[in-house]
Amino acid sequence: MLRRSLENRDAQTRQLQDAVTNVEKHFGELCQIFAAYVRKTARLRDKADLLVNEVNVYASTETPNLKQGLKNFADEFAKLQDYRQAEVERLEAKVVEPLKAYGTIVKMKRDDLKATLTAKNREAKQLGQLERTRQRNPSDRHIISQAESELQRATMDATRTTRHLEETIDNFEKQKIKDIKNIFSEFITIEMLFHGKALEVYTAAYQNIQKIDEDEDLEVFRNSLYPQDYSSRLDIVRANSKSPLQRSLSTKCVSGTGQIATCRLRKDQQADDDDEDDDDLDVTEEENQF
């Protein structure tokens, strides 16, 4: 009967030990992965800060609208990195640290397991000693009674430590489930808060980029390519770009008044010549009459 009870407690202790080992293994893995996730997020924040600096440097060299749009984008993106920094700090405090704390918790449970195993081994040892005593000295009641007393004390101690282990492991399991729920809930909440803010910031950054007036900046760039007398030189270029027919029509229009005056002069001279011829004809007729 006693040996069967020992066997049952052994199986129970192994099960409890497996539960602690399982938590130690997987919580350790989760802690390492979450810690790496936080470090990656922090490095992404650092790279984003470099991007903000470079955008600001580049913006200072550009045309007004593009410059303002890029600077506004950089301001929004820098604001996002503040949210990312808060994300890193919260993940560290609400996710990584609670998982890391299980290293100490598991160590305490292993100490409880060790105490229980020690008590169980003492009980098994006393049981074996009693059985040997009964075999060697079956008639020596004093020695047998002493061995039975030692076994009874060992059994009581093993039972007490086993009951304590059951209680502590039960609490451990209860707390483990609660902590897992809290840790993953915190992780999801932190990520949702960050991505919600990120969506707002990215929307504002997108709008700032879309507000850049391409035509106005292009006009500023083109004007920067020419000196201050750009408009007068442009008139010359336009004049030189006219077709031969357009230049001929322009010349006729300009010289039209002179040509009309010349025609009128020629007509006046012809009229005067005609008048002189008429005068000569009249004089000849008069002479012939005399």
Side-chain angles (χ1 to χ4, degrees):
M1 179 71 72
L2 183 59
R3 187 164 294 280
R4 180 176 295 179
S5 177
L6 282 172
E7 291 175 354
N8 291 336
R9 284 204 296 270
D10 283 343
Q12 185 181 34
T13 302
R14 282 194 298 271
Q15 185 177 356
L16 297 175
Q17 189 172 13
D18 290 343
V20 173
T21 300
N22 188 60
V23 170
E24 181 181 32
K25 175 185 176 182
H26 293 291
F27 273 50
E29 290 292 332
L30 287 171
C31 183
Q32 290 181 7
I33 294 171
F34 272 121
Y37 181 93
V38 173
R39 288 195 299 272
K40 289 282 187 181
T41 303
R43 283 198 289 270
L44 179 59
R45 175 207 58 209
D46 294 340
K47 292 297 183 182
D49 288 339
L50 294 177
L51 178 58
V52 169
N53 292 335
E54 178 57 27
V55 170
N56 276 318
V57 171
Y58 167 55
S60 64
T61 67
E62 272 297 347
T63 46
N65 275 281
L66 184 56
K67 176 180 180 179
Q68 190 61 45
L70 289 175
K71 283 190 172 295
N72 289 339
F73 167 83
D75 290 342
E76 294 295 339
F77 204 59
K79 185 190 301 182
L80 180 62
Q81 305 324 306
D82 294 336
Y83 291 128
R84 202 185 299 275
Q85 175 62 25
E87 176 196 17
V88 168
E89 293 173 357
R90 290 169 182 166
L91 287 173
E92 185 70 31
K94 300 293 186 178
V95 177
V96 176
E97 286 300 323
L99 286 170
K100 190 184 296 184
Y102 264 80
T104 302
I105 295 173
V106 167
K107 185 177 182 299
M108 293 173 59
K109 301 312 168 188
R110 285 204 174 280
D111 290 342
D112 291 339
L113 280 167
K114 184 177 180 181
T116 301
L117 288 173
T118 300
K120 285 166 73 304
N121 290 336
R122 188 182 301 114
E123 181 186 20
K125 180 180 179 182
Q126 291 300 327
L127 178 60
Q129 186 173 350
L130 176 60
E131 290 176 348
R132 286 192 298 273
T133 299
R134 284 173 175 172
Q135 290 175 358
R136 293 174 184 174
N137 304 295
S139 59
D140 193 341
R141 296 298 309 165
H142 176 71
I143 297 177
I144 293 174
S145 177
Q146 187 176 4
E148 288 176 345
S149 297
E150 291 293 333
L151 175 60
Q152 185 177 9
R153 283 194 295 270
T155 300
M156 292 176 62
D157 187 46
T159 302
R160 179 182 58 80
T161 56
T162 300
R163 186 177 297 112
H164 172 73
L165 180 63
E166 291 173 356
E167 292 176 356
T168 189
I169 295 299
D170 184 80
N171 292 331
F172 173 74
E173 282 291 311
K174 181 179 178 180
Q175 189 64 42
K176 176 198 74 176
I177 296 170
K178 182 179 179 180
D179 287 342
I180 279 291
K181 287 180 64 177
N182 288 338
I183 289 169
F184 277 85
S185 295
E186 288 288 351
F187 173 73
I188 294 169
T189 301
I190 292 167
E191 289 296 290
M192 285 194 302
L193 286 172
F194 169 75
H195 287 290
K197 290 294 185 180
L199 183 58
E200 295 178 8
V201 173
Y202 279 130
T203 300
Y206 180 84
Q207 291 171 347
N208 283 320
I209 292 299
Q210 292 302 308
K211 287 178 183 178
I212 296 173
D213 192 326
E214 303 171 40
D215 294 334
E216 187 174 333
D217 272 15
L218 185 59
E219 186 65 24
V220 171
F221 173 74
R222 286 170 176 170
N223 289 339
S224 69
L225 295 178
Y226 301 98
Q228 295 180 354
D229 61 344
Y230 164 70
S231 58
S232 61
R233 298 184 65 182
L234 184 60
D235 291 338
I236 296 173
V237 171
R238 288 173 177 170
N240 291 335
S241 66
K242 291 181 178 179
S243 65
L245 179 58
Q246 290 174 321
R247 288 198 296 271
S248 175
L249 291 173
S250 298
T251 304
K252 288 180 180 180
C253 290
V254 172
S255 61
T257 304
Q259 290 175 351
I260 293 172
T262 303
C263 292
R264 288 177 180 174
L265 179 59
R266 288 176 181 173
K267 288 180 180 179
D268 291 342
Q269 290 176 350
Q270 185 176 0
D272 290 341
D273 292 341
D274 292 340
D275 290 342
E276 289 178 0
D277 291 341
D278 291 340
D279 291 342
D280 292 340
L281 181 60
D282 292 341
V283 171
T284 303
E285 289 179 353
E286 289 177 356
E287 289 177 352
N288 291 331
Q289 289 176 0
F290 290 106

